[in-house]
């Protein structure tokens, strides 16, 4: 019946304009039960059900945007619609490394160059001199000259614009002191697609394993699940500041092999996410030796390379470490991931990044290139930004002083925030927290009373998720339960970013402290 | 030995600066055989070989950036280094729908808004009034107000910024005359990742099939191969202007079912790529009925919706067609793909796009959302641009006249270029070419002489690839062999874009005509 009416409606109003058509449709819709209503509220006549989806998708989990965040969004709506409905007046998102969502300002020089590349028509106008710094204008000209036809709106080479790769290569050379081939660089929409690309290449079946740290950034478990492989866990040692022990790698590799798993790669996140440790160079050399000895690809997540907050630690890339050991291109297979989303710039929304791929034969490289080609190229603004973060203003450039001030301001503030939050967490009953030497997170351990664990069981939720949900409902603070990152069984944690604005940190500390005391009083037993 | 020297080198120079370290490394490298040399030129000590890669990756092909393009890039280098080394002085890339790489200029209004959103600090400056149109400034303010915290550098909601989705929803409503739920929209880095996402959800194993047109855009065959499914071909009828016959769909579905294939979805590309046909509304209703009857998801590639060049054809979205038939949200599962890369704007490098997902249950939608979340979000510039293409300047806006002139200039020129190239192709011996009613391509059929086919066989290449390579070597014109898109066995085609600058079309026609005559003379027998 509905179909008949609608058919007629279409014929009746076929000569009207679009907007009156829409109005007519809406009017007719009021005259009859909608198709949805007549079908009932179910989707029984649609072909796809949850049970007929790819089971690899069903198996995949990504806690950073999981249940707690959905609840937070709901609470945010409720506060907006009904102020005073909760014991807090804003949601404090400490769940995700997304600095600019928490009012961190973009680096001026980077945005100047991006804007000029987006609209090169203004480069020659006199007003532009008054609006943009001279070195930003010069840099925009340089970048445009590197783009064939100055076409910032064209698909680029599948690996990214060659001139930008040259710039990035020089930046890595300046960082590491070893040569870089621009043809080893694949520019990507952030680091995540690069990680997926490597997983897609390496994983053939559930018999292929990838060694991943536990706790891990859940992109890895999600990507391995989506590609149908097996995550082979190795545990970081919380007692030694989330130390990475070679004996643990060896033990887990042996166990995996005994189960028939072909372990293909080792993921190392340095600085660590969610754990915040910065690896020492000697430790890195052991890791390189381990990969070499065991024939593993080393997948080095180095997206937090500019986020180091303690004077006794320094970031060393695995490329530099392996080259310093004398291992050349053909001795070790190493992929280093970098992103514009992290560092002091935190340009998450730009989706820029790259991977440096070394130690793969030309035949294998050809396959990596092919997979990159299927998606044509990464976004050009992200490509440009990736070149900028690897070649920021230098001494003498007009922007250098203001750029350095912005950079220092952000990094020193992050260091202070990390320390304040770490101290606050360590002052809580039953909570221990390693320092955030780098990255953007603290990952405190909470020793929950038995009664809390039982209450969580009754609520059919993990004890740390139970704690995180309670925290959110009481304070508006959003953290991610440790179970989303995996952890030593029987231990409970949460991940909390160090990113809220510095002036909000005292309030977070006091709200968290008050909540925790009440929680412990309630469940101490 | 090398390792020992390098270890020493590192210790010797550990206190020097980075650049002198690099210089020292390079100096030391001259003193000894490099690690690569000492290992020989092979990669035998690296763990990954072609044979141990994921076979799904090996099976995947993507001709648009395949062998012919690699050859073209080589020739381009040769011309640059050694002018006069080939019988042409430039490479004419007719292989890919990449308008701005062929000097098409971006739409001014779009770029103004993007630049202002990249660097909002200039919005309030007086010079900005002189550089940007008033409505671009106003639009940038509107967009920034839609972004939480005005943070264009933050990860957005996994589906894209809600305010931008609202704008796109209104644009689709204005186009179709039916309501759109912004929560049905998933903003993506171009249409390709959206297609991958749907394939990833639907394909469980090689027993899952996806009905695809032949000829097809090779993203589909590549994505199905990468996800391990089966491409179920249906042939478009070249005789009737690449007509899509329901009897053919039924026949191929039956054949696939008899082989135990569970066919899950039907891909329709409208306007067609590489075939350029625009579907009639009656035909589209039949297709909708077929999907409804057979329980198939309709995957509608509608990225060329603004590229229609003939007065007797009009684009109708499958959403509009199915709604006009009375099918509501719960009656038919339909995904419509749109991209900022095509249309008259051709902003390929921005990687923006969206999919409108209708007719899936909440449990299935939750899984789509989860997959989108794993990659966090698409790039914000691309999201903004997707909103702009769906809500361009309106009558009365300051930019409206110039915007309309830019749009009309591009579309009318494309129509002229399509017609000129079509006529030229049809005048060639043994070549027949359907008109490009829409999209950006011609797909002529070449009836190759037996002798040419034998010569191709001797060269171990497909006959149309043989022809395309000869064409490239003789004229610098790059086309994609029909075999890259699949075709009726025993027929040969190539895909040629209509995108070269209009003033270059006569030269292309004469070069192509001259080449073709010589080719036929050589191989006529």
């Amino acid at each position: 019946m509905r179909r008949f009416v609608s058919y007629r409606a279409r014929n009746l109003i076929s000569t009207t304009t679009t907007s009156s058509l829409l109005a007519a449709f809406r009017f007719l819709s009021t005259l009859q039960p909608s198709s949805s209503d007549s079908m009932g509220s179910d989707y029984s006549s649609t072909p796809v059900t949850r049970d007929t989806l790819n089971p690899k998708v069903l198996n995949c989990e990504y806690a950073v945007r999981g249940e707690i965040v959905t609840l937070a969004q709901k609470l945010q709506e409720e506060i907006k619609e009904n102020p005073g409905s909760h014991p807090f007046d804003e949601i404090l998102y400490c769940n995700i490394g997304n600095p600019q969502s928490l009012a961190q300002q973009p680096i001026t020089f980077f945005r100047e160059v991006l804007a000029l590349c987006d609209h090169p028509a203004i480069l020659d106008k006199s007003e532009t001199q008054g609006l943009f710094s001279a070195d930003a204008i010069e840099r925009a000209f340089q970048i445009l000259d590197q783009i064939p036809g100055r076409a910032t709106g064209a698909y680029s080479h599948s690996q990214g614009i060659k001139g930008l790769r040259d710039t990035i290569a020089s930046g890595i050379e300046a960082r590491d002191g070893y040569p870089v081939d621009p043809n080893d660089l694949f520019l990507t929409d952030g680091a995540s697609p690069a990680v997926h690309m490597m997983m897609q290449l390496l994983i053939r079946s559930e018999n292929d394993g990838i060694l991943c740290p536990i706790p891990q950034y859940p992109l890895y478990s999600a990507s391995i699940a989506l590609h149908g492989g097996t995550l082979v866990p190795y545990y970081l040692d919380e007692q030694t500041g989330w130390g990475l022990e070679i004996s643990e790698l060896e033990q887990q590799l042996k166990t995996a092999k005994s189960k028939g798993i072909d372990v293909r790669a080792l993921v190392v996140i340095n600085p660590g996410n969610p754990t915040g440790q910065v690896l020492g160079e000697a430790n890195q050399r052991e890791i390189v030796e381990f990969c070499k000895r065991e024939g593993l690809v080393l997948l080095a997540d180095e997206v937090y390379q500019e986020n180091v907050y303690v004077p006794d630690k320094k970031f060393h890339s695995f490329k530099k470490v392996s080259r310093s050991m004398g291992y050349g291109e053909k001795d070790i297979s190493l992929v280093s991931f970098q992103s514009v989303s992290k560092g002091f710039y935190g340009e998450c929304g730009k989706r820029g990044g790259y991977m440096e791929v070394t130690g793969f034969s030309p035949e294998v490289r050809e396959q990596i290139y092919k997979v990159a080609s299927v998606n044509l190229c990464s976004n050009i603004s992200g490509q440009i930004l990736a070149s900028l973060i690897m070649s920021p203003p230098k001494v003498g450039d007009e922007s250098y002083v203001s750029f350095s001030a912005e950079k220092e301001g952000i990094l020193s503030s992050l260091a202070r925030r990390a320390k304040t939050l770490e101290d606050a967490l360590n002052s809580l009953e039953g909570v221990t927290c390693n320092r955030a030497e780098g990255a953007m997170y603290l990952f405190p351990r909470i020793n929950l009373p038995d009664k809390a664990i039982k209450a969580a069981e009754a609520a059919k939720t993990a004890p740390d998720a139970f704690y995180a949900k309670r925290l959110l409902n009481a304070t508006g603070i959003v953290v991610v339960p440790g179970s989303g990152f995996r952890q030593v069984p029987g231990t409970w944690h949460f991940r909390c970013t160090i990113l809220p604005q510095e002036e909000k940190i005292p309030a977070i500390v006091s709200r968290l402290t008050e909540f925790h005391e009440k929680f412990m009083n309630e469940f101490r037993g």
Side-chain angles (χ1 to χ4, degrees), chain A residues 450-461:
Chain A
D450 282 351
K451 210 171 139 190
I453 292 171
K454 289 208 176 82
E457 273 165 16
K460 291 187 179 157
T461 183

Side-chain angles (χ1 to χ4, degrees), chain A residues 461-522:
Chain A
T461 183
D464 46 15
F466 178 79
Y467 181 91
K469 207 182 271 185
R470 283 283 196 118
L471 175 66
L472 170 59
N473 277 315
T475 65
I477 299 171
V478 192
V479 299
V480 186
S483 38
F485 305 88
R486 307 197 189 182
Q487 53 202 343
V488 171
T491 69
W492 309 109
H493 301 77
F494 61 84
R495 188 184 81 167
C496 178
T497 71
I498 59 171
L499 298 174
Q501 288 167 274
E502 199 162 357
E503 60 266 33
K504 292 194 175 169
I505 300 286
I508 290 174
V509 168
S510 65
R511 285 202 223 169
L512 176 64
T513 305
E514 189 190 351
F515 161 78
H516 188 79
E517 276 170 17
K518 279 192 190 154
F519 183 92
M520 294 302 276
N521 288 339
E522 181 177 350

Side-chain angles (χ1 to χ4, degrees), chain A residues 206-232:
Chain A
E206 68 277 11
N207 292 326
D208 282 331
I210 309 290
L211 269 162
C212 287
I214 300 298
Q216 51 106 31
Y217 174 50
L219 167 67
Y220 292 97
S221 50
S223 188
I224 293 167
L226 284 173
H227 292 100
T230 295
L231 187 151
V232 178

Side-chain angles (χ1 to χ4, degrees), chain A residues 22 24 51 105 139 144 179 184 196 204 214 229 236 297 312 344 374 407 411 419 457 508:
Chain A
L22 183 56
D51 294 340
Q105 292 305 299
R139 184 69 75 93
L144 289 167
D184 290 346
H196 285 309
R204 295 160 294 187
I214 300 298
L236 301 174
V297 176
D312 55 325
F344 54 92
V374 173
K407 173 180 171 175
L411 287 175
K419 187 79 183 86
E457 273 165 16
I508 290 174

